[in-house]
mmCIF file with all atom_site columns, all heavy atoms in Angstrom:
data_model
loop_
_atom_site.group_PDB
_atom_site.id
_atom_site.type_symbol
_atom_site.label_atom_id
_atom_site.label_alt_id
_atom_site.label_comp_id
_atom_site.label_asym_id
_atom_site.label_entity_id
_atom_site.label_seq_id
_atom_site.pdbx_PDB_ins_code
_atom_site.Cartn_x
_atom_site.Cartn_y
_atom_site.Cartn_z
_atom_site.occupancy
_atom_site.B_iso_or_equiv
_atom_site.pdbx_formal_charge
_atom_site.auth_seq_id
_atom_site.auth_comp_id
_atom_site.auth_asym_id
_atom_site.auth_atom_id
_atom_site.pdbx_PDB_model_num
ATOM 1   N N   . THR A 1 249 ? -12.348 11.907  16.692 1.00 94.00 ? 249 THR A N   1
ATOM 2   C CA  . THR A 1 249 ? -12.657 12.514  15.366 1.00 94.00 ? 249 THR A CA  1
ATOM 3   C C   . THR A 1 249 ? -11.830 11.650  14.305 1.00 94.00 ? 249 THR A C   1
ATOM 4   O O   . THR A 1 249 ? -10.834 11.216  14.521 1.00 94.00 ? 249 THR A O   1
ATOM 5   C CB  . THR A 1 249 ? -11.884 13.855  15.215 1.00 94.00 ? 249 THR A CB  1
ATOM 6   O OG1 . THR A 1 249 ? -12.560 14.711  16.297 1.00 94.00 ? 249 THR A OG1 1
ATOM 7   C CG2 . THR A 1 249 ? -12.265 14.632  13.931 1.00 94.00 ? 249 THR A CG2 1
ATOM 8   N N   . PRO A 1 250 ? -12.582 11.336  13.166 1.00 94.00 ? 250 PRO A N   1
ATOM 9   C CA  . PRO A 1 250 ? -11.957 10.701  12.125 1.00 94.00 ? 250 PRO A CA  1
ATOM 10  C C   . PRO A 1 250 ? -10.766 11.281  11.634 1.00 94.00 ? 250 PRO A C   1
ATOM 11  O O   . PRO A 1 250 ? -10.640 12.444  11.404 1.00 94.00 ? 250 PRO A O   1
ATOM 12  C CB  . PRO A 1 250 ? -13.105 10.521  11.020 1.00 94.00 ? 250 PRO A CB  1
ATOM 13  C CG  . PRO A 1 250 ? -14.346 10.726  11.779 1.00 94.00 ? 250 PRO A CG  1
ATOM 14  C CD  . PRO A 1 250 ? -14.026 11.723  12.831 1.00 94.00 ? 250 PRO A CD  1
ATOM 15  N N   . ILE A 1 251 ? -9.688  10.356  11.354 1.00 96.00 ? 251 ILE A N   1
ATOM 16  C CA  . ILE A 1 251 ? -8.390  10.807  10.671 1.00 96.00 ? 251 ILE A CA  1
ATOM 17  C C   . ILE A 1 251 ? -8.330  9.961   9.369  1.00 96.00 ? 251 ILE A C   1
ATOM 18  O O   . ILE A 1 251 ? -8.309  8.676   9.573  1.00 96.00 ? 251 ILE A O   1
ATOM 19  C CB  . ILE A 1 251 ? -7.255  10.581  11.570 1.00 96.00 ? 251 ILE A CB  1
ATOM 20  C CG1 . ILE A 1 251 ? -7.424  11.503  12.963 1.00 96.00 ? 251 ILE A CG1 1
ATOM 21  C CG2 . ILE A 1 251 ? -5.914  10.999  10.914 1.00 96.00 ? 251 ILE A CG2 1
ATOM 22  C CD1 . ILE A 1 251 ? -6.268  11.363  13.906 1.00 96.00 ? 251 ILE A CD1 1
ATOM 23  N N   . PRO A 1 252 ? -8.207  10.610  8.322  1.00 95.00 ? 252 PRO A N   1
ATOM 24  C CA  . PRO A 1 252 ? -8.204  9.730   7.054  1.00 95.00 ? 252 PRO A CA  1
ATOM 25  C C   . PRO A 1 252 ? -7.174  8.574   7.025  1.00 95.00 ? 252 PRO A C   1
ATOM 26  O O   . PRO A 1 252 ? -6.019  8.776   7.533  1.00 95.00 ? 252 PRO A O   1
ATOM 27  C CB  . PRO A 1 252 ? -7.902  10.792  6.008  1.00 95.00 ? 252 PRO A CB  1
ATOM 28  C CG  . PRO A 1 252 ? -8.373  12.140  6.600  1.00 95.00 ? 252 PRO A CG  1
ATOM 29  C CD  . PRO A 1 252 ? -8.151  11.972  8.003  1.00 95.00 ? 252 PRO A CD  1
ATOM 30  N N   . ASP A 1 253 ? -7.512  7.552   6.524  1.00 96.00 ? 253 ASP A N   1
ATOM 31  C CA  . ASP A 1 253 ? -6.666  6.337   6.307  1.00 96.00 ? 253 ASP A CA  1
ATOM 32  C C   . ASP A 1 253 ? -6.110  5.753   7.659  1.00 96.00 ? 253 ASP A C   1
ATOM 33  O O   . ASP A 1 253 ? -5.016  5.078   7.706  1.00 96.00 ? 253 ASP A O   1
ATOM 34  C CB  . ASP A 1 253 ? -5.415  6.618   5.404  1.00 96.00 ? 253 ASP A CB  1
ATOM 35  C CG  . ASP A 1 253 ? -5.939  7.087   4.060  1.00 96.00 ? 253 ASP A CG  1
ATOM 36  O OD1 . ASP A 1 253 ? -6.985  6.674   3.630  1.00 96.00 ? 253 ASP A OD1 1
ATOM 37  O OD2 . ASP A 1 253 ? -5.188  7.894   3.463  1.00 96.00 ? 253 ASP A OD2 1
ATOM 38  N N   . THR A 1 254 ? -6.819  5.956   8.749  1.00 97.00 ? 254 THR A N   1
ATOM 39  C CA  . THR A 1 254 ? -6.427  5.306   10.022 1.00 97.00 ? 254 THR A CA  1
ATOM 40  C C   . THR A 1 254 ? -7.483  4.404   10.505 1.00 97.00 ? 254 THR A C   1
ATOM 41  O O   . THR A 1 254 ? -8.640  4.470   9.970  1.00 97.00 ? 254 THR A O   1
ATOM 42  C CB  . THR A 1 254 ? -6.184  6.461   11.034 1.00 97.00 ? 254 THR A CB  1
ATOM 43  O OG1 . THR A 1 254 ? -7.424  7.064   11.426 1.00 97.00 ? 254 THR A OG1 1
ATOM 44  C CG2 . THR A 1 254 ? -5.180  7.447   10.728 1.00 97.00 ? 254 THR A CG2 1
ATOM 45  N N   . ILE A 1 255 ? -7.230  3.574   11.374 1.00 98.00 ? 255 ILE A N   1
ATOM 46  C CA  . ILE A 1 255 ? -8.082  2.600   11.984 1.00 98.00 ? 255 ILE A CA  1
ATOM 47  C C   . ILE A 1 255 ? -8.122  2.884   13.532 1.00 98.00 ? 255 ILE A C   1
ATOM 48  O O   . ILE A 1 255 ? -6.965  3.068   14.133 1.00 98.00 ? 255 ILE A O   1
ATOM 49  C CB  . ILE A 1 255 ? -7.734  1.085   11.829 1.00 98.00 ? 255 ILE A CB  1
ATOM 50  C CG1 . ILE A 1 255 ? -7.613  0.801   10.361 1.00 98.00 ? 255 ILE A CG1 1
ATOM 51  C CG2 . ILE A 1 255 ? -8.768  0.203   12.549 1.00 98.00 ? 255 ILE A CG2 1
ATOM 52  C CD1 . ILE A 1 255 ? -7.031  -0.603  10.123 1.00 98.00 ? 255 ILE A CD1 1
ATOM 53  N N   . VAL A 1 256 ? -9.249  3.111   14.189 1.00 98.00 ? 256 VAL A N   1
ATOM 54  C CA  . VAL A 1 256 ? -9.341  3.223   15.560 1.00 98.00 ? 256 VAL A CA  1
ATOM 55  C C   . VAL A 1 256 ? -9.403  1.802   16.103 1.00 98.00 ? 256 VAL A C   1
ATOM 56  O O   . VAL A 1 256 ? -10.116 0.938   15.712 1.00 98.00 ? 256 VAL A O   1
ATOM 57  C CB  . VAL A 1 256 ? -10.670 3.997   15.998 1.00 98.00 ? 256 VAL A CB  1
ATOM 58  C CG1 . VAL A 1 256 ? -10.790 3.998   17.357 1.00 98.00 ? 256 VAL A CG1 1
ATOM 59  C CG2 . VAL A 1 256 ? -10.654 5.389   15.353 1.00 98.00 ? 256 VAL A CG2 1
ATOM 60  N N   . VAL A 1 257 ? -8.635  1.453   17.120 1.00 98.00 ? 257 VAL A N   1
ATOM 61  C CA  . VAL A 1 257 ? -8.520  0.113   17.634 1.00 98.00 ? 257 VAL A CA  1
ATOM 62  C C   . VAL A 1 257 ? -8.727  0.251   19.164 1.00 98.00 ? 257 VAL A C   1
ATOM 63  O O   . VAL A 1 257 ? -8.101  1.108   19.830 1.00 98.00 ? 257 VAL A O   1
ATOM 64  C CB  . VAL A 1 257 ? -7.145  -0.460  17.455 1.00 98.00 ? 257 VAL A CB  1
ATOM 65  C CG1 . VAL A 1 257 ? -7.136  -1.989  17.971 1.00 98.00 ? 257 VAL A CG1 1
ATOM 66  C CG2 . VAL A 1 257 ? -6.788  -0.497  15.914 1.00 98.00 ? 257 VAL A CG2 1
ATOM 67  N N   . ASN A 1 258 ? -9.683  -0.492  19.657 1.00 98.00 ? 258 ASN A N   1
ATOM 68  C CA  . ASN A 1 258 ? -10.005 -0.334  21.055 1.00 98.00 ? 258 ASN A CA  1
ATOM 69  C C   . ASN A 1 258 ? -10.016 -1.800  21.757 1.00 98.00 ? 258 ASN A C   1
ATOM 70  O O   . ASN A 1 258 ? -10.206 -2.797  21.063 1.00 98.00 ? 258 ASN A O   1
ATOM 71  C CB  . ASN A 1 258 ? -11.279 0.293   21.331 1.00 98.00 ? 258 ASN A CB  1
ATOM 72  C CG  . ASN A 1 258 ? -12.508 -0.336  20.871 1.00 98.00 ? 258 ASN A CG  1
ATOM 73  O OD1 . ASN A 1 258 ? -12.796 -0.292  19.680 1.00 98.00 ? 258 ASN A OD1 1
ATOM 74  N ND2 . ASN A 1 258 ? -13.277 -1.037  21.736 1.00 98.00 ? 258 ASN A ND2 1
ATOM 75  N N   . ALA A 1 259 ? -9.541  -1.807  22.921 1.00 98.00 ? 259 ALA A N   1
ATOM 76  C CA  . ALA A 1 259 ? -9.597  -2.990  23.658 1.00 98.00 ? 259 ALA A CA  1
ATOM 77  C C   . ALA A 1 259 ? -10.938 -3.403  24.091 1.00 98.00 ? 259 ALA A C   1
ATOM 78  O O   . ALA A 1 259 ? -11.760 -2.537  24.644 1.00 98.00 ? 259 ALA A O   1
ATOM 79  C CB  . ALA A 1 259 ? -8.600  -3.010  24.830 1.00 98.00 ? 259 ALA A CB  1
ATOM 80  N N   . GLY A 1 260 ? -11.333 -4.645  24.221 1.00 98.00 ? 260 GLY A N   1
ATOM 81  C CA  . GLY A 1 260 ? -12.574 -5.131  24.698 1.00 98.00 ? 260 GLY A CA  1
ATOM 82  C C   . GLY A 1 260 ? -12.595 -5.726  26.029 1.00 98.00 ? 260 GLY A C   1
ATOM 83  O O   . GLY A 1 260 ? -11.561 -5.902  26.696 1.00 98.00 ? 260 GLY A O   1
ATOM 84  N N   . ASP A 1 261 ? -13.794 -6.103  26.530 1.00 97.00 ? 261 ASP A N   1
ATOM 85  C CA  . ASP A 1 261 ? -13.934 -6.658  27.896 1.00 97.00 ? 261 ASP A CA  1
ATOM 86  C C   . ASP A 1 261 ? -13.123 -7.923  28.079 1.00 97.00 ? 261 ASP A C   1
ATOM 87  O O   . ASP A 1 261 ? -12.638 -8.060  29.199 1.00 97.00 ? 261 ASP A O   1
ATOM 88  C CB  . ASP A 1 261 ? -15.388 -6.937  28.218 1.00 97.00 ? 261 ASP A CB  1
ATOM 89  C CG  . ASP A 1 261 ? -16.225 -5.704  28.208 1.00 97.00 ? 261 ASP A CG  1
ATOM 90  O OD1 . ASP A 1 261 ? -15.632 -4.614  28.350 1.00 97.00 ? 261 ASP A OD1 1
ATOM 91  O OD2 . ASP A 1 261 ? -17.493 -5.850  28.186 1.00 97.00 ? 261 ASP A OD2 1
ATOM 92  N N   . LEU A 1 262 ? -13.024 -8.758  27.068 1.00 98.00 ? 262 LEU A N   1
ATOM 93  C CA  . LEU A 1 262 ? -12.331 -10.033 27.357 1.00 98.00 ? 262 LEU A CA  1
ATOM 94  C C   . LEU A 1 262 ? -10.803 -9.798  27.517 1.00 98.00 ? 262 LEU A C   1
ATOM 95  O O   . LEU A 1 262 ? -10.173 -10.495 28.170 1.00 98.00 ? 262 LEU A O   1
ATOM 96  C CB  . LEU A 1 262 ? -12.691 -11.018 26.219 1.00 98.00 ? 262 LEU A CB  1
ATOM 97  C CG  . LEU A 1 262 ? -12.408 -12.440 26.467 1.00 98.00 ? 262 LEU A CG  1
ATOM 98  C CD1 . LEU A 1 262 ? -13.039 -12.981 27.696 1.00 98.00 ? 262 LEU A CD1 1
ATOM 99  C CD2 . LEU A 1 262 ? -12.960 -13.388 25.362 1.00 98.00 ? 262 LEU A CD2 1
ATOM 100 N N   . LEU A 1 263 ? -10.250 -8.840  26.694 1.00 98.00 ? 263 LEU A N   1
ATOM 101 C CA  . LEU A 1 263 ? -8.823  -8.575  26.792 1.00 98.00 ? 263 LEU A CA  1
ATOM 102 C C   . LEU A 1 263 ? -8.617  -7.872  28.111 1.00 98.00 ? 263 LEU A C   1
ATOM 103 O O   . LEU A 1 263 ? -7.525  -8.170  28.774 1.00 98.00 ? 263 LEU A O   1
ATOM 104 C CB  . LEU A 1 263 ? -8.365  -7.643  25.681 1.00 98.00 ? 263 LEU A CB  1
ATOM 105 C CG  . LEU A 1 263 ? -6.936  -7.310  25.693 1.00 98.00 ? 263 LEU A CG  1
ATOM 106 C CD1 . LEU A 1 263 ? -6.044  -8.534  25.703 1.00 98.00 ? 263 LEU A CD1 1
ATOM 107 C CD2 . LEU A 1 263 ? -6.548  -6.378  24.409 1.00 98.00 ? 263 LEU A CD2 1
ATOM 108 N N   . ALA A 1 264 ? -9.454  -7.052  28.584 1.00 98.00 ? 264 ALA A N   1
ATOM 109 C CA  . ALA A 1 264 ? -9.277  -6.510  29.916 1.00 98.00 ? 264 ALA A CA  1
ATOM 110 C C   . ALA A 1 264 ? -9.295  -7.529  31.044 1.00 98.00 ? 264 ALA A C   1
ATOM 111 O O   . ALA A 1 264 ? -8.387  -7.525  31.903 1.00 98.00 ? 264 ALA A O   1
ATOM 112 C CB  . ALA A 1 264 ? -10.430 -5.335  30.222 1.00 98.00 ? 264 ALA A CB  1
ATOM 113 N N   . ARG A 1 265 ? -10.188 -8.431  30.910 1.00 98.00 ? 265 ARG A N   1
ATOM 114 C CA  . ARG A 1 265 ? -10.268 -9.623  31.850 1.00 98.00 ? 265 ARG A CA  1
ATOM 115 C C   . ARG A 1 265 ? -8.968  -10.540 31.733 1.00 98.00 ? 265 ARG A C   1
ATOM 116 O O   . ARG A 1 265 ? -8.364  -10.805 32.670 1.00 98.00 ? 265 ARG A O   1
ATOM 117 C CB  . ARG A 1 265 ? -11.423 -10.446 31.471 1.00 98.00 ? 265 ARG A CB  1
ATOM 118 C CG  . ARG A 1 265 ? -11.657 -11.651 32.459 1.00 98.00 ? 265 ARG A CG  1
ATOM 119 C CD  . ARG A 1 265 ? -12.893 -12.386 32.006 1.00 98.00 ? 265 ARG A CD  1
ATOM 120 N NE  . ARG A 1 265 ? -13.167 -13.559 32.903 1.00 98.00 ? 265 ARG A NE  1
ATOM 121 C CZ  . ARG A 1 265 ? -14.312 -13.676 33.562 1.00 98.00 ? 265 ARG A CZ  1
ATOM 122 N NH1 . ARG A 1 265 ? -15.241 -12.885 33.458 1.00 98.00 ? 265 ARG A NH1 1
ATOM 123 N NH2 . ARG A 1 265 ? -14.381 -14.709 34.305 1.00 98.00 ? 265 ARG A NH2 1
ATOM 124 N N   . TRP A 1 266 ? -8.471  -10.712 30.507 1.00 98.00 ? 266 TRP A N   1
ATOM 125 C CA  . TRP A 1 266 ? -7.343  -11.521 30.205 1.00 98.00 ? 266 TRP A CA  1
ATOM 126 C C   . TRP A 1 266 ? -6.086  -10.871 30.815 1.00 98.00 ? 266 TRP A C   1
ATOM 127 O O   . TRP A 1 266 ? -5.179  -11.533 31.285 1.00 98.00 ? 266 TRP A O   1
ATOM 128 C CB  . TRP A 1 266 ? -7.231  -11.644 28.672 1.00 98.00 ? 266 TRP A CB  1
ATOM 129 C CG  . TRP A 1 266 ? -6.502  -12.771 28.020 1.00 98.00 ? 266 TRP A CG  1
ATOM 130 C CD1 . TRP A 1 266 ? -5.904  -13.733 28.848 1.00 98.00 ? 266 TRP A CD1 1
ATOM 131 C CD2 . TRP A 1 266 ? -6.454  -13.147 26.726 1.00 98.00 ? 266 TRP A CD2 1
ATOM 132 N NE1 . TRP A 1 266 ? -5.434  -14.789 27.920 1.00 98.00 ? 266 TRP A NE1 1
ATOM 133 C CE2 . TRP A 1 266 ? -5.764  -14.312 26.648 1.00 98.00 ? 266 TRP A CE2 1
ATOM 134 C CE3 . TRP A 1 266 ? -6.836  -12.460 25.581 1.00 98.00 ? 266 TRP A CE3 1
ATOM 135 C CZ2 . TRP A 1 266 ? -5.548  -14.954 25.416 1.00 98.00 ? 266 TRP A CZ2 1
ATOM 136 C CZ3 . TRP A 1 266 ? -6.701  -13.096 24.346 1.00 98.00 ? 266 TRP A CZ3 1
ATOM 137 C CH2 . TRP A 1 266 ? -5.957  -14.249 24.248 1.00 98.00 ? 266 TRP A CH2 1
ATOM 138 N N   . SER A 1 267 ? -6.016  -9.503  30.809 1.00 98.00 ? 267 SER A N   1
ATOM 139 C CA  . SER A 1 267 ? -4.879  -8.759  31.283 1.00 98.00 ? 267 SER A CA  1
ATOM 140 C C   . SER A 1 267 ? -4.986  -8.466  32.751 1.00 98.00 ? 267 SER A C   1
ATOM 141 O O   . SER A 1 267 ? -4.148  -7.716  33.221 1.00 98.00 ? 267 SER A O   1
ATOM 142 C CB  . SER A 1 267 ? -4.751  -7.525  30.463 1.00 98.00 ? 267 SER A CB  1
ATOM 143 O OG  . SER A 1 267 ? -5.659  -6.586  30.808 1.00 98.00 ? 267 SER A OG  1
ATOM 144 N N   . ASN A 1 268 ? -6.020  -9.042  33.442 1.00 98.00 ? 268 ASN A N   1
ATOM 145 C CA  . ASN A 1 268 ? -6.163  -8.813  34.814 1.00 98.00 ? 268 ASN A CA  1
ATOM 146 C C   . ASN A 1 268 ? -6.464  -7.346  35.169 1.00 98.00 ? 268 ASN A C   1
ATOM 147 O O   . ASN A 1 268 ? -6.035  -6.734  36.180 1.00 98.00 ? 268 ASN A O   1
ATOM 148 C CB  . ASN A 1 268 ? -5.017  -9.246  35.762 1.00 98.00 ? 268 ASN A CB  1
ATOM 149 C CG  . ASN A 1 268 ? -5.404  -9.804  36.996 1.00 98.00 ? 268 ASN A CG  1
ATOM 150 O OD1 . ASN A 1 268 ? -6.338  -10.607 37.253 1.00 98.00 ? 268 ASN A OD1 1
ATOM 151 N ND2 . ASN A 1 268 ? -4.678  -9.366  38.156 1.00 98.00 ? 268 ASN A ND2 1
#
Side-chain angles (χ1 to χ4, degrees):
T249 303
I251 299 176
D253 298 335
T254 66
I255 304 173
V256 177
V257 186
N258 63 284
D261 295 344
L262 200 50
L263 181 54
R265 181 183 183 120
W266 207 355
S267 73
N268 214 45

